Amino acid sequence: MIGRLSFALFVLAFCLTGYVLTWPVRRRIGWPRFFLQWFGESLGLDVRIEGEPIGRDVLYVANHVTWLDILALGGATPTFFISKDDVSAWPLVGMLARIGGTIFIDRESRRAARGQVDQLGQALLFHHPITLFPEGTTGDGITLFPFRPALFASVAPPPPGIVVQPVAIDYGQAAAEIAWTGDDELGPNARHVLGRAGRLACVIRFLPPLAPSDDRKRIAAEAQASITAALGL
């Protein structure tokens, strides 16, 4: 575990230094993706991609098992993520999330819902891929929580040219062991994951995009069915 942490801290320091020193062109360099890929590598993550990711004008919809999902999917694609707004206040993690273009939303406030739909819709119009975890939290690695239809309001119907692509993140038999459930603290879970022997295989399956629809319940149900089938659940 000490070796992994040392490598991870080196990657963090290298990327933050590079991000600061290359400020005129840092967006073109793609520091966030480079960081997530190599930070994941340093922690023992071994990512393999199946299927064809749509590179732009896309909302990726993925299952959520662990904090490693961010490293795996963010290292494999130049995606921005949608996250609960309280993450923005986390020490270091919040700063890194902001650098990576994370879109923070308040999922508990109905008053803020309309503004958040508009915010996500506008972000999609900039052609950058965006990832949504519609379960709203991490699961147990064995089953999926119901996908929340309200989170699909910005793509029901989608802005012109935007597609919804389901993504299955699969850790195989290790999923239940590494899952970061709602009752777990991040620290103990991270120590457990880092203390595992060997590499952790992660397959990211990019599935066929969904047909456009103005029914967000239908989109949520079809996305969940597609990912469930891909994971064999």
Side-chain angles (χ1 to χ4, degrees):
M1 184 169 68
I2 299 300
R4 286 178 175 174
L5 282 176
S6 298
F7 187 14
L9 290 175
F10 169 78
V11 171
L12 174 62
F14 177 82
C15 290
L16 284 177
T17 301
Y19 182 80
V20 171
L21 294 180
T22 60
W23 66 270
V25 294
R26 59 192 179 196
R27 289 188 180 274
R28 282 181 285 174
I29 293 176
W31 282 111
R33 182 177 179 182
F34 179 87
F35 165 71
L36 292 172
Q37 179 181 357
W38 283 100
F39 198 74
E41 288 272 353
S42 70
L43 299 182
L45 198 56
D46 188 5
V47 178
R48 178 165 57 89
I49 295 176
E50 294 182 358
E52 188 67 32
I54 298 172
R56 52 180 286 159
D57 299 323
V58 60
L59 177 68
Y60 296 134
V61 177
N63 60 305
H64 202 8
V65 180
T66 169
W67 49 275
L68 293 170
D69 300 341
I70 306 294
L71 306 181
L73 191 52
T77 69
T79 186
F80 292 165
F81 290 92
I82 301 171
S83 175
K84 294 182 293 185
D85 61 348
D86 59 341
V87 173
S88 64
W90 291 9
L92 184 60
V93 173
M95 180 191 72
L96 294 175
R98 288 190 293 273
I99 289 175
T102 297
I103 301 168
F104 297 104
I105 64 173
D106 181 358
R107 292 177 177 169
E108 305 301 325
S109 172
R110 293 186 177 181
R111 181 181 300 177
R114 171 48 55 186
Q116 291 158 7
V117 168
D118 294 341
Q119 180 186 10
L120 176 54
Q122 287 298 316
L124 286 168
L125 292 178
F126 282 97
H127 309 297
H128 209 96
I130 296 174
T131 295
L132 168 69
F133 297 115
E135 292 169 278
T137 185
T138 48
D140 58 9
I142 302 174
T143 58
L144 297 184
F145 290 123
F147 286 10
R148 299 183 179 184
L151 299 177
F152 290 87
S154 61
V155 289
I162 302 298
V163 298
V164 177
Q165 184 174 28
V167 180
I169 304 176
D170 189 358
Y171 297 94
Q173 294 183 346
E177 177 190 350
I178 65 168
W180 180 29
T181 63
D183 296 331
D184 288 349
E185 296 291 336
L186 176 58
N189 180 268
R191 286 193 295 271
H192 171 70
V193 170
L194 295 180
R196 295 179 75 257
R199 308 285 294 176
L200 176 61
C202 173
V203 179
I204 302 178
R205 297 188 178 93
F206 290 90
L207 307 172
L210 303 179
S213 173
D214 59 1
D215 185 344
R216 60 191 184 185
K217 291 183 179 179
R218 175 181 174 182
I219 297 175
E222 290 182 352
Q224 181 158 5
S226 179
I227 294 172
T228 298
L231 294 173
L233 299 179

